[in-house]
């Protein structure tokens, strides 16, 4: 767990602790905690359970620009080529491909 925020309370500051739940889904968390209850294991979640890290702002902007350059024509959004259902794979600019 890591320190997430600090609040100013009347007598003294208080804080909150937690972890980035975007990288660990609920079923994986439940399985991990059930295993840890039996084994006594502690520490951060195993890397194999974690989702990929969220894109940073620059990478997100590049991905949006790439998608826009593929999908936007002179008359606006083209269809159905740009439908989200027609794209598969990991959502990174390098791996976008039509299904």
């Amino acid at each position: 767990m890591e320190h997430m925020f600090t609040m100013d309370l009347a007598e003294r500051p208080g804080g909150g602790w937690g972890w980035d739940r975007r990288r660990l889904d609920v079923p994986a968390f439940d399985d991990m905690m059930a295993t840890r209850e039996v084994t006594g294991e502690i520490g951060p979640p195993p890397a194999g359970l974690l989702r990929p890290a969220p894109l940073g702002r620059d990478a997100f902007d590049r991905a949006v620009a790439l998608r826009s350059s593929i999908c936007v024509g002179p008359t606006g959004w083209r269809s159905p080529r740009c439908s989200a259902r027609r794209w598969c794979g990991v959502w990174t600019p390098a791996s976008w491909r039509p299904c």
Side-chain angles (χ1 to χ4, degrees), residues 21-75:
R21 293 293 299 267
R22 296 174 296 178
R23 299 207 50 206
L24 184 65
D25 64 358
V26 174
F29 174 77
D30 290 344
D31 292 343
M32 179 186 74
M33 293 309 291
T35 301
R36 288 181 174 196
E37 184 175 356
V38 173
T39 64
E41 180 185 353
I42 60 171
L49 292 180
L50 298 177
R51 295 177 181 153
L55 291 177
R57 186 67 203 184
D58 292 337
F60 177 78
D61 289 344
R62 285 192 305 271
V64 169
L66 174 66
R67 180 66 181 242
S68 296
S69 69
I70 293 170
C71 293
V72 177
T75 59

Side-chain angles (χ1 to χ4, degrees), residues 1-13:
M1 296 183 84
E2 62 186 75
H3 186 256
M4 303 290 278
F5 62 91
T6 302
M7 301 181 306
D8 288 328
L9 302 174
E11 300 86 34
R12 59 187 169 89

